[in-house]
Amino acid sequence: MVREEIAVSTRALRWKCVELRIDSKRLYYGRFILSPLMKGQADMIGIAMRRALLGEIEGTCITRVKSEKVPHEFSTIVGIKESVHEIVLNLKEIVLRSYLYGTLDASICVRGPRYVTAQDIILPPSVEIVDATQHIANLTEQVGLCIKLQIERDRGYSMKTPNNYQDGSYPIDAVFMPVRNANHSVHDYGNGNEKQEILFLEIWTNGSLTPKEALYEASRNLIDLFIPFLHAEEQKIHLEDNKNRVSLALFTFHDEFANTNIRKNKKKIALKCIFIDQSELPPRTYNCLKKSNIHTLLDLLNNSQEDLLKMEHFCMEDVKQILDILQKHFGFDLPKNKVSIY
């Protein structure tokens, strides 16, 4: 088990792993925090992350088993303790690790008497077994067990259907989810208007991914879903309905902006979405700006160095700190005299 002290930063949003634990080969646990968050943000992020962890991460499973000597799934084979149905259920429990797509083939070909485990599966080089001790069957006599397996990578569930049986092969209900469970909780700290939140995320995985890897995959998948909105370009189309012409604003997605006006408007919108509490400002400087109704990066850029110096309790050292942060993180500078940027 790995434990770390919880560190809460009042300047920038930070995440940290506070506990990692391996309960078994097929059960990993991780606990993470994200802070400081404004009121309501922890629940919003926690709900989205939990859904992404449980539904958006891909896994690798055995999806089909085939044996020419087995008439149907509920058959029994002389010399094998388990029925074919029980063997299929045991195969369903096997956890695999692979990053290749498409359908891959594997097989088992052994002779008893012996115990058959996941270690006896002949796999392609790109696939690994997380727990090789997983039980498959018990051969009590000198009989052979030869079956072919089909392996796929996907996400969510894959339910077998009655008409999906073909050529002596039987589909398996596949659970492609590497994350077994995910929980989130919210903890408040601070007083009065300074109250903030800490998000705690708990993740259990089946061993094919570590909780850290699962958190990374879920975060990346969420970001990928929102990327199209970052490239949204507003265009106008005209619809003619008899004598009336209506102008509608639609969103289309392009890599380049059509003209400088659209580019300027989009830059303005982006600057409005960056709040000064994301800029690692010292608390005193941050409070002075907030009292002067400067809440976003756009508000700040509409002021000059001269304007800042006129603020109460503001000095040249504070202005220099702001200039350094703007240049370092955003590549902007403030004019010495009053100039409206937008």
Side-chain angles (χ1 to χ4, degrees), residues 94 108 114-121 132-137:
I94 293 173
I108 299 174
R114 58 170 295 178
Y115 286 100
V116 183
T117 64
Q119 189 174 3
D120 296 305
I121 301 176
T133 63
Q134 167 66 37
H135 177 75
I136 296 175

Side-chain angles (χ1 to χ4, degrees), residues 222-233 251-254 266:
L222 276 177
I223 291 169
D224 288 345
L225 290 174
F226 287 104
I227 279 177
F229 294 109
L230 299 178
H231 300 291
E233 175 183 333
F251 285 103
T252 55
F253 306 103
H254 299 284
K266 287 186 70 63

Side-chain angles (χ1 to χ4, degrees), residues 25 30 47 93 108 168 204 225 259 263 280:
K25 290 182 179 179
I47 291 170
E93 294 296 317
I108 299 174
W204 291 262
L225 290 174
N259 53 58
R263 185 160 54 246
E280 300 183 358

Side-chain angles (χ1 to χ4, degrees), residues 168-185:
S169 68
Y170 309 97
I172 299 176
D173 289 340
V175 182
F176 294 102
M177 301 160 56
V179 177
R180 287 188 170 186
N181 195 15
N183 288 331
H184 84 277
S185 57

Side-chain angles (χ1 to χ4, degrees), residues 2 42 101 118 165 189 194 200 250 264 278:
V2 179
Y101 293 90
Y165 297 81
Y189 69 96
E194 299 297 323
F200 284 79
L250 295 183
K264 187 174 180 179
Q278 298 173 259

Side-chain angles (χ1 to χ4, degrees), residues 26 119 125 157 189 217 238 242 259 312 331:
R26 289 183 287 161
Q119 189 174 3
Y157 296 96
Y189 69 96
E217 287 289 331
H238 301 282
N242 296 330
N259 53 58
E312 191 177 1

